[in-house]
Amino acid sequence: MKNKVFEQVWKPSDGIELEDSALASIKEPNNVSIVAGPGAGKTELLAHKVGYLIETGVCTYPKKILAISFKVDAASNLQERVEKRYGKEVSSRIESRTFDSFAKGLLDQFLHALPEEYKPAKQYEIISNERLVDDIIKGYITDTNVYYPTWQHEYNFLRVNKLLKETRLPLSTFDNDLYYWINERLWNVLLKGKNNLKSSLTFPMISILVEYLLRENPLIVNSLHATYSHVFLDEFQDTTYIQYDLLKTAFLDSKSIITTVGDNKQRIMGWAGALKNAFEIFNKDFNATQFSLLNNYRSAPRLIYIQNLFSKTLNKTSVDAIPAGEWSAEDGICEIWTFKNHMNEANILARKIQEWMDSEDSKPRDFLYYC
């Protein structure tokens, strides 16, 4: 490692200038939450925070930084950005993973530390399509319930699936509560398999198992603290209750410093169990300092003006974003298009996007579509 840089004189690489709140969030020594809208440079900020922590020695060798994202491309983008800005020596000290990958890695490594009744087979299968769970209920739960003799025709799968995701081990069961009764049997069938069904887990089940694993094995928790001095969570507004429970069990009241980043106006995963008011909950539980990034490097000034208007309708206390980058004040076009039906809409938009890609040498990822 090259010579240590003093914290007072450290600067972002490549001559990049960050807004004051971004720089302050990078140098904040305690838990922080960073609220940043589209185009604010969240990945860039996290990359520079990695650089700061490693180059100044705040993250002391051989400890590492754990960065958790929700999508594979986001995790790889951060790893690549750190290497681009600070080189391979710094990037080797960060593990950038998805939440599912992080949880699965812990389960696979410490599977035998689970009690026998909650231990899946070593070569368990992953259920990626939740609707398959309904088929498993119908095909492999054959018990009789005296309170619900025709239960196979009475249950609602959405309620079953919701309870499956909200389970906190150890399991509770009540024969006179149909959904707890099904949930206990469903967990047993999925964990152990039955007949031609192999041991199978959904990703939410993996996070639930790992949270229980950590809660029952403090030595494993201590090993996480010894490995990671800092933890980043990107797109934090979409963190589910299960994932947040796992985060708390792993790192609450530890010396590992947590940084959460996201946009509290882009919470789109409520249907999947995302936390309500995620940043407020985190700030309270982890005694975190919150920073807001105002610059928007992605959108033209006229578009930011429209975005700010919409933001105010969603949240009256929303702070206006500020155009940043090489823009003219008149840049940006906002139009309203109407269509006869969804097929007409799809055909016209697809054709226009292809024309823009051909004329402007852009790529599909350059287009955002919200409905």
Side-chain angles (χ1 to χ4, degrees):
M1 182 72 189
K2 64 182 181 180
N3 293 336
K4 176 181 173 181
V5 178
F6 289 107
E7 296 175 34
Q8 298 87 339
V9 298
W10 179 89
K11 292 182 179 180
S13 69
D14 298 338
I16 291 175
E17 294 187 8
L18 301 173
E19 60 181 288
D20 291 344
S21 58
L23 194 58
S25 70
I26 286 174
K27 295 187 175 183
E28 169 61 44
N30 300 310
N31 297 329
V32 298
S33 63
I34 303 169
V35 178
K42 295 186 285 290
T43 302
E44 193 73 51
L45 181 148
L46 290 177
H48 289 300
K49 182 146 190 168
V50 173
Y52 170 78
L53 295 172
I54 302 299
E55 290 189 335
T56 61
V58 174
C59 175
T60 56
Y61 185 84
K63 288 193 173 185
K64 293 186 174 184
I65 298 166
L66 173 65
I68 298 177
S69 303
F70 281 84
K71 297 179 181 178
V72 174
D73 60 343
S76 59
N77 285 344
L78 177 57
Q79 193 85 43
E80 292 167 2
R81 187 71 59 89
V82 172
E83 183 172 337
K84 177 182 178 181
R85 297 301 187 202
Y86 293 95
K88 289 185 177 180
E89 193 171 2
V90 171
S91 69
S92 67
R93 299 275 303 281
I94 178 176
E95 291 183 15
S96 188
R97 311 175 68 174
T98 64
F99 215 117
D100 288 340
S101 169
F102 171 64
K104 187 177 187 305
L106 287 175
L107 178 62
D108 294 349
Q109 184 175 1
F110 298 108
L111 184 142
H112 293 295
L114 281 167
E116 188 59 38
E117 63 265 36
Y118 297 121
K119 188 186 301 180
K122 186 175 181 180
Q123 301 299 326
Y124 61 86
E125 296 189 348
I126 297 291
I127 299 176
S128 55
N129 183 352
E130 292 182 343
R131 295 305 308 186
L132 292 176
V133 174
D134 196 26
D135 295 333
I136 291 170
I137 294 171
K138 291 182 171 70
Y140 295 93
I141 299 180
T142 56
D143 301 35
T144 300
N145 185 311
V146 295
Y147 295 96
Y148 301 92
T150 59
W151 68 266
Q152 294 93 337
H153 307 289
E154 297 179 43
Y155 75 90
N156 179 289
F157 173 67
L158 294 180
R159 287 185 62 182
V160 172
N161 198 39
K162 184 174 185 290
L163 183 57
L164 179 67
K165 293 180 178 180
E166 293 176 351
T167 299
R168 198 168 199 264
L169 300 176
L171 288 169
S172 300
T173 185
F174 311 95
D175 285 358
N176 61 348
D177 186 307
L178 176 60
Y179 292 95
Y180 276 91
W181 183 84
I182 293 174
N183 189 57
E184 182 192 30
R185 283 150 181 78
L186 178 58
W187 268 88
N188 186 60
V189 166
L190 291 173
L191 282 168
K192 303 302 181 181
K194 186 175 182 180
N195 299 334
N196 64 337
L197 176 69
K198 295 181 179 179
S199 176
S200 305
L201 303 175
T202 65
F203 278 114
M205 288 178 67
I206 290 175
S207 289
I208 292 167
L209 286 167
V210 171
E211 190 280 327
Y212 183 58
L213 170 75
L214 298 182
R215 190 163 17 105
E216 295 295 305
N217 295 274
L219 289 178
I220 299 177
V221 175
N222 291 340
S223 71
L224 289 176
H225 301 168
T227 302
Y228 305 113
S229 67
H230 292 76
V231 180
F232 299 167
L233 289 103
D234 198 6
E235 301 296 344
F236 185 67
Q237 75 279 352
D238 290 331
T239 299
T240 66
Y241 286 90
I242 297 170
Q243 292 165 340
Y244 188 66
D245 201 24
L246 173 54
L247 172 71
K248 288 176 65 177
T249 300
F251 295 108
L252 186 64
D253 296 327
S254 74
K255 293 183 178 179
S256 300
I257 305 301
I258 314 298
T259 297
T260 62
V261 184
D263 184 357
N264 53 8
K265 298 189 293 294
Q266 287 196 57
R267 181 177 172 270
I268 60 173
M269 300 297 287
W271 59 273
L275 282 168
K276 295 180 180 178
N277 304 317
F279 287 98
E280 290 85 345
I281 294 171
F282 172 77
N283 292 344
K284 180 180 179 181
D285 289 344
F286 286 82
N287 193 27
T289 302
Q290 182 165 308
F291 295 86
S292 296
L293 304 189
L294 302 181
N295 286 350
N296 184 326
Y297 296 90
R298 183 185 301 161
S299 298
R302 284 184 172 179
L303 299 183
I304 293 176
Y305 172 75
I306 298 295
Q307 291 166 17
N308 287 336
L309 292 178
F310 279 121
S311 295
K312 284 291 193 296
T313 65
L314 297 173
N315 183 352
K316 293 181 179 180
T317 63
S318 175
V319 180
D320 285 351
I322 300 171
E326 299 178 0
W327 298 103
S328 165
E330 300 303 311
D331 284 345
I333 299 173
C334 182
E335 299 177 346
I336 298 176
W337 292 5
T338 60
F339 305 94
K340 295 178 181 178
N341 51 57
H342 68 284
M343 292 301 297
N344 180 241
E345 176 186 8
N347 290 332
I348 292 176
L349 286 176
R351 186 171 66 250
K352 291 300 294 184
I353 289 173
Q354 186 62 59
E355 291 175 3
W356 289 324
M357 288 173 59
D358 294 339
S359 62
E360 301 175 14
D361 193 29
S362 51
K363 294 179 172 57
R365 65 178 298 173
D366 296 324
F367 297 87
L368 298 178
Y369 177 62
Y370 299 98
C371 57

